[in-house]
């Protein structure tokens, strides 16, 4: 979905199954926003999806990593 902020900047949101999963950066022109959308459409099929929503301890404590 495409939006316009209060200061006139353009941005888009990616919504999947009625849930917002991403918000784009702000663009100054319609053309730049369309290029941003095209970039997502072109590369999304190669993207890896990491879903941590069902796990509490995905990463080990910082002390274990950094000492």
């Amino acid at each position: 979905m495409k939006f316009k902020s209060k200061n006139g900047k353009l941005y888009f949101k990616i919504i999947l199954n009625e849930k917002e999963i991403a918000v784009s950066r702000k663009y100054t022109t319609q053309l730049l926003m369309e290029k941003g959308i095209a970039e997502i459409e072109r590369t999304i099929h190669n993207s890896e999806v990491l879903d941590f929503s069902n796990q509490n301890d995905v990463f080990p404590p910082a002390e274990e990593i950094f000492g």
Side-chain angles (χ1 to χ4, degrees), residues 17-63:
N17 297 329
E18 298 182 17
K19 184 176 180 182
E20 180 181 299
I21 60 170
V23 178
S24 75
R25 58 175 286 241
K26 303 294 189 284
Y27 297 94
T28 54
T29 68
Q30 183 76 24
L31 178 60
L32 289 173
M33 184 177 66
E34 294 300 332
K35 285 183 177 182
I37 292 170
E39 177 73 14
I40 297 295
E41 290 173 338
R42 190 167 37 87
T43 60
I44 199 161
H45 66 278
N46 292 330
S47 299
E48 181 178 3
V49 175
L50 303 175
D51 182 1
F52 301 121
S53 62
N54 293 327
Q55 298 177 0
N56 294 331
D57 298 320
V58 174
F59 300 104
E63 303 82 43

